[in-house]
Amino acid sequence: MARYNAKESEKHWQSEWERHQLFKTPEHGDKPKCYVLEMFPYPSGRIHMGHARNYTMGDVIARFRRAQGYNVLHPMGWDAFGLPAENAARDKGVSPRDWTYENIAHMREGLKMLGLSLDWTREFATCDPEYYHQQQKLFLQFYKAGFVYRGEADVNWDPVDQTVLANEQVIDGRGWRSGAVVERRKLSQWFFKITAFAEELLAALDTLDQWPEKVRIMQRNWIGKSEGLKFQFTLSDGGKLDVFTTRPDTLFGASFVGLSPDHPLTQELAKTDLKLQDFIAECRKTGTAEAEIEKADKLGYDTGLTAAHPFDPNWKLPVMVANFVLMGYGTGAIFGCPAHDQRDLDFARKYGLSVIPVVVPSDADAKTFSVGTEAYVGPGKLANSQFLDGMTVEAAKAEVAARLEKAGIGERTVNYRLRDWLVSRQRPWGCPIPMVHCAKCGVVALKESDLPVLLPEKIDFSKSGNPLDRDLNWKNVTCPECGGPAHRDTDTLDTFADSSWYFARFCDPHAREPVNKDAADYWMPVDQYIGGIEHAILHLLYARFFTRAMNRLGLIGIQEPFAGMFTQGMVCHETYRDADGWVTPDEVVKEGGKAYRKDNHAPVEIGSSEKMSKSKKNVIAPETIIADYGADTIRWFMLSDTPPERDIEWTDAGAEGCWRFVQRVWRLVSTAEGLAPTGAKIPADLDEYSLGVRRVVHRRTAEITDHLQNLRFNRAVASIYELATLTGSLNEKHNGAVKREALEALVLLMAPMMPHLAEECWRALGHESFAAQAPWPQFDPGIIASNVANIPIQVNGKLRANMEIVIGTSQEEVLAKALAFDAIVRAMEGKPLKKIIYVPNRIVNIVV
RNA sequence: GCGGGCGUGGUGGAACUGGUAGACGCGCCAGACUCAAAAUCUGGUACCGCAAGGUGUGUCGGUUCGAUUCCGACCGCCCGCACCA
């Protein structure tokens, strides 16, 4: 018997599949449809283990559904605009376009080596002019429908490179290339009005029952609906100030009024207050990232103004500008109640403001209750609050709201944390925004007939700033309204826009409109979407928004793009380091649990397992593994052991184990003896010996089907191991047709996971057809059923004995048998029987 | 800071709606085959104990006849936070 040659076999079957166009999307027909999609990759140059994991899972679903008789759409494309291409262009002097398409070519080969059942005829890249042309049309339609508007937003500005920086390009407050201290600057930019859909996007989460609960929770929190009260303070200079609060009940605990540094009133005051200008400048040194702003030390500036308490005009609260008050949330102004909000408390302690507890927990005394360094945010009764004293938090909220509404200075409002989506990017490698700025007509939208706005052939990265802004040939145009001189918008769209509708485009990737409605009506929504948890919020929310906006425009019939969602975990590996820093796995040999350098045998420290990353040098390239063991081995590894939603650790030992299993299956099939011919009927009068085998085969078939339906790949793998062990134990005493049934079940059940090996085995079993086209094995519940059950017997919840009963044995009989066991008698000795619990056909528990 | 998640043998993990904790894989140990090694096959493997038995699912507490599973508090690690994708 020859060893299984994965390299040859995989190449052979991949070309056979392609020659017979097995994975070309079928015509609509009357079969049920199944749209399987994995998040398309950024073409970084090489596939990595994360891709291998993600695309293997999707491929298993696609192949499984095809076998079950579904029409399957399983496409692939490229999320091809973005920063890395610009960085490469700047560093290596290549064009971002060439760099990107070369990477795509490499990665396409890498993916093909995995044996994925993709319809490559539908492939596109978001940087294809054809794709971003359609995206520009969408932008114009969104604009006409009022889903796009112009507003101001902060950006990270690098004063040396004269450019806007992404958050990841800001390191410790400095530009990553120039090292210059980054400033926050305001720019006039384009926004998508996602907040118009806030309530819908929130409410519809409840309908997404095939999404992970944690993703829905994250989205819910991100949208951040809060019901609260907006009310007005009267200031000492006679002005009015609106604040928003979700805790009106704590109004008597107020000790200051906080203004955002970006609040219009702050800006107004700064005009005549140099120190405030300095303070605002200081606040702007903090980056634009929320985490950074909230982690920064609390800073405040006393404006000298005071605000009168709405229930006591003589009670004056200082009005302070505070760096932790965000302009984008509520009204950009708050009242601070230090006793019941941690940020306010930190701030109050720093600036010596009073801390008055007004909500007292039920087990504390109002007279002595005080707040130290930790704010009390739990439930309780109101105190120190005049007419609110003794009320619950909820009642007090309602009371304050009612009184302020009656006084005409307050209004109950709903507020969302969700902000509108800023889509302008000052970058040259993105989808150009199809707008023109005219001195006379202002901002003018292009006509559809003027599209596409193509990126310039050559993008000049030799100087600082945005290349599109400097390319006057490209930038200068005539105004579509008045024909006078005008210039293009030199910003491009956030690459999140590109990935917000590509799934709809795959339904007909070359349609003359963004979306072919007929095709989308058939294929959408995506039945199973798979991707990383890191996209749980933004990408999914933006895609949901796009789909709704397109729905309003009549471009698509559905509201929610992804019926089923699954987020897979990351791929990790041990890290190694020596005195000179990180060491790559292939520079290391391991002996007896210790690691050494291959070249000079110097000891290497083994570090924790972490997400594979270039920076920690703990990357294993899928191509290497495929070259050594083949695609089926890497696929099997990705599906084995670790539940798909959890992080997986790549280990050499595990890979070798998978490889051995590939060989074992091949040996089982190729050396099988005494099989009945293909298509042989199983005799009705089977002996118990062969019947027992059938029972297990059908039981495993049922299990594996169920596991795959629920994306429990690791469990399916475990069941296949058990099935393999069973087929290995078959001998000359077993019926030949039963043996064939067992082996064919093994091959077809593993086929979605190890498709190449399955084809080879299918041939070896005498079939001329493709395993990839064979129908999914069926199981017969009548064969699975067993008439005996094992019953554990416990005394006081502790296992003492086991017995076998015939299912349906009466309770009396079961208990009598249980009480007769030696071990039970011994365990009960000298203790009076209290009661017996019997769960039919499951367990007996004797309480003494 | 805010939000989300995870924690079970030497190791990855399994345990359906609260009902025998450790399926299956890796590793390790023993045996078979072999001149030998590799590969393969068979058996064993939570911990303590000769055994009877006892102890065990991050820690502490609670509910229950019975808790890995439900509740509360804590500890540790990981992810997201709007210009990375």
Side-chain angles (χ1 to χ4, degrees), chain A residues 504-800:
Chain A
R505 184 77 184 159
F506 273 136
C507 298
D508 183 354
H510 302 295
R512 293 185 172 198
E513 292 307 317
V515 177
N516 171 341
K517 191 154 182 296
D518 286 342
D521 279 346
Y522 178 75
W523 288 113
M524 292 297 292
V526 175
D527 294 279
Q528 187 61 62
Y529 195 37
I530 307 178
I533 185 72
E534 67 273 20
H535 292 295
I537 300 177
L538 292 181
H539 163 59
L540 293 178
L541 197 62
Y542 291 153
R544 296 179 63 214
F545 158 71
F546 251 70
T547 306
R548 274 164 200 277
M550 290 193 290
N551 174 276
R552 273 342 107 81
L553 293 166
L555 301 178
I556 198 164
I558 51 152
Q559 306 250 21
E560 285 292 335
F562 312 121
M565 176 67 221
F566 187 83
T567 52
Q568 102 269 3
M570 298 177 305
V571 182
C572 302
H573 193 275
E574 265 181 349
T575 48
Y576 307 104
R577 59 189 317 175
D578 64 10
D580 301 329
W582 302 105
V583 180
T584 63
D586 52 326
E587 291 172 304
V588 168
V589 277
K590 287 175 80 178
E591 288 163 24
K594 299 217 166 133
Y596 304 90
R597 283 198 74 108
K598 265 181 196 164
D599 46 11
N600 57 12
H601 210 74
V604 172
E605 191 191 330
I606 301 179
S608 59
S609 177
E610 306 206 33
K611 178 184 177 175
M612 285 189 183
S613 71
K614 277 183 194 159
S615 61
K616 294 195 174 135
K617 292 195 176 174
N618 60 340
V619 176
I620 305 281
E623 276 110 328
T624 327
I625 304 298
I626 294 172
D628 291 349
Y629 300 105
D632 286 336
T633 296
I634 199 171
R635 291 170 64 114
W636 191 249
F637 187 108
M638 287 305 171
L639 300 165
S640 303
D641 293 351
T642 305
E645 68 279 8
R646 236 186 265 183
D647 290 353
I648 194 171
E649 187 184 348
W650 180 269
T651 61
D652 291 344
E656 270 159 38
C658 293
W659 165 243
R660 280 203 299 271
F661 184 65
V662 169
Q663 292 297 344
R664 188 171 145 214
V665 170
W666 174 242
R667 219 164 27 242
L668 277 173
V669 172
S670 61
T671 63
E673 284 173 357
L675 299 190
T678 52
K681 283 241 162 27
I682 293 175
D685 57 338
L686 276 182
D687 56 297
E688 188 51 41
Y689 200 56
S690 293
L691 199 62
V693 170
R694 275 206 97 188
R695 186 174 300 135
V696 178
V697 170
H698 281 241
R699 188 172 290 163
R700 300 282 170 252
T701 304
E703 274 169 17
I704 293 164
T705 306
D706 187 52
H707 290 325
L708 290 186
Q709 243 142 16
N710 293 291
L711 288 79
R712 294 187 296 246
F713 306 111
N714 58 317
R715 305 269 310 276
V717 164
S719 292
I720 286 179
Y721 275 117
E722 290 179 293
L723 191 53
T725 304
L726 173 80
T727 54
S729 71
L730 298 176
N731 56 45
E732 65 281 358
K733 283 189 250 171
H734 291 101
N735 176 278
V738 169
K739 285 202 267 193
R740 169 164 290 280
E741 183 186 42
L743 280 168
E744 292 198 346
L746 173 66
V747 169
L748 294 181
L749 291 169
M750 72 170 198
M753 307 191 231
M754 298 204 281
H756 312 89
L757 176 64
E759 295 294 357
E760 204 69 42
C761 290
W762 196 235
R763 271 308 137 101
L765 287 172
H767 291 274
E768 309 265 306
S769 55
F770 287 103
Q773 285 184 312
W776 192 246
Q778 298 298 301
F779 57 90
D780 178 351
I783 294 171
I784 294 171
S786 167
N787 65 335
V788 290
N790 188 287
I791 306 288
I793 311 163
Q794 300 178 331
V795 176
N796 284 351
K798 282 201 168 142
L799 179 73
R800 297 294 171 180

Side-chain angles (χ1 to χ4, degrees), chain A residues 324-637:
Chain A
F324 63 94
V325 180
L326 305 172
M327 191 58 218
Y329 186 78
T331 62
I334 58 152
F335 78 80
C337 175
H340 305 292
D341 183 289
Q342 193 59 47
R343 292 164 299 183
D344 296 350
L345 182 63
D346 295 343
F347 187 79
R349 291 292 182 219
K350 182 159 180 179
Y351 293 100
L353 302 165
S354 56
V355 178
I356 313 158
V358 291
V359 177
V360 179
S362 53
D363 57 355
D365 179 3
K367 291 200 182 77
T368 56
F369 181 70
S370 71
V371 165
T373 54
E374 222 164 284
Y376 179 71
V377 294
K381 288 272 158 56
L382 272 286
N384 303 322
S385 295
Q386 303 183 15
F387 55 86
L388 300 176
D389 282 356
M391 286 187 187
T392 63
V393 167
E394 282 317 305
K397 279 182 182 173
E399 180 65 26
V400 169
R403 289 196 185 213
L404 292 180
E405 275 180 337
K406 204 170 162 203
I409 54 169
E411 186 189 356
R412 273 177 252 229
T413 56
V414 173
N415 191 54
Y416 297 91
R417 206 184 75 97
L418 181 69
R419 308 199 297 257
D420 277 332
W421 175 10
L422 168 63
V423 290
S424 300
R425 296 290 182 270
Q426 296 67 41
R427 314 204 182 283
W429 188 236
C431 169
I433 295 174
M435 302 297 267
V436 158
H437 301 265
C438 169
K440 214 153 93 197
C441 313
V443 177
V444 181
L446 288 176
K447 295 188 186 71
E448 269 204 15
S449 55
D450 295 329
L451 300 182
V453 179
L454 296 174
L455 287 167
E457 278 299 312
K458 281 194 90 136
I459 302 174
D460 175 16
F461 287 94
S462 62
K463 300 189 195 83
S464 58
N466 180 359
L468 297 184
D469 208 33
R470 289 192 316 263
D471 186 339
L472 299 183
N473 269 336
W474 186 83
K475 182 179 175 184
N476 292 331
V477 287
T478 53
C479 172
E481 297 268 311
C482 68
H487 68 87
R488 289 195 192 288
D489 200 304
T490 58
D491 289 348
T492 55
L493 285 176
D494 180 5
T495 57
F496 267 125
D498 311 340
S499 54
S500 290
W501 66 286
Y502 77 108
F503 42 86
R505 184 77 184 159
F506 273 136
C507 298
D508 183 354
H510 302 295
R512 293 185 172 198
E513 292 307 317
V515 177
N516 171 341
K517 191 154 182 296
D518 286 342
D521 279 346
Y522 178 75
W523 288 113
M524 292 297 292
V526 175
D527 294 279
Q528 187 61 62
Y529 195 37
I530 307 178
I533 185 72
E534 67 273 20
H535 292 295
I537 300 177
L538 292 181
H539 163 59
L540 293 178
L541 197 62
Y542 291 153
R544 296 179 63 214
F545 158 71
F546 251 70
T547 306
R548 274 164 200 277
M550 290 193 290
N551 174 276
R552 273 342 107 81
L553 293 166
L555 301 178
I556 198 164
I558 51 152
Q559 306 250 21
E560 285 292 335
F562 312 121
M565 176 67 221
F566 187 83
T567 52
Q568 102 269 3
M570 298 177 305
V571 182
C572 302
H573 193 275
E574 265 181 349
T575 48
Y576 307 104
R577 59 189 317 175
D578 64 10
D580 301 329
W582 302 105
V583 180
T584 63
D586 52 326
E587 291 172 304
V588 168
V589 277
K590 287 175 80 178
E591 288 163 24
K594 299 217 166 133
Y596 304 90
R597 283 198 74 108
K598 265 181 196 164
D599 46 11
N600 57 12
H601 210 74
V604 172
E605 191 191 330
I606 301 179
S608 59
S609 177
E610 306 206 33
K611 178 184 177 175
M612 285 189 183
S613 71
K614 277 183 194 159
S615 61
K616 294 195 174 135
K617 292 195 176 174
N618 60 340
V619 176
I620 305 281
E623 276 110 328
T624 327
I625 304 298
I626 294 172
D628 291 349
Y629 300 105
D632 286 336
T633 296
I634 199 171
R635 291 170 64 114
W636 191 249
F637 187 108

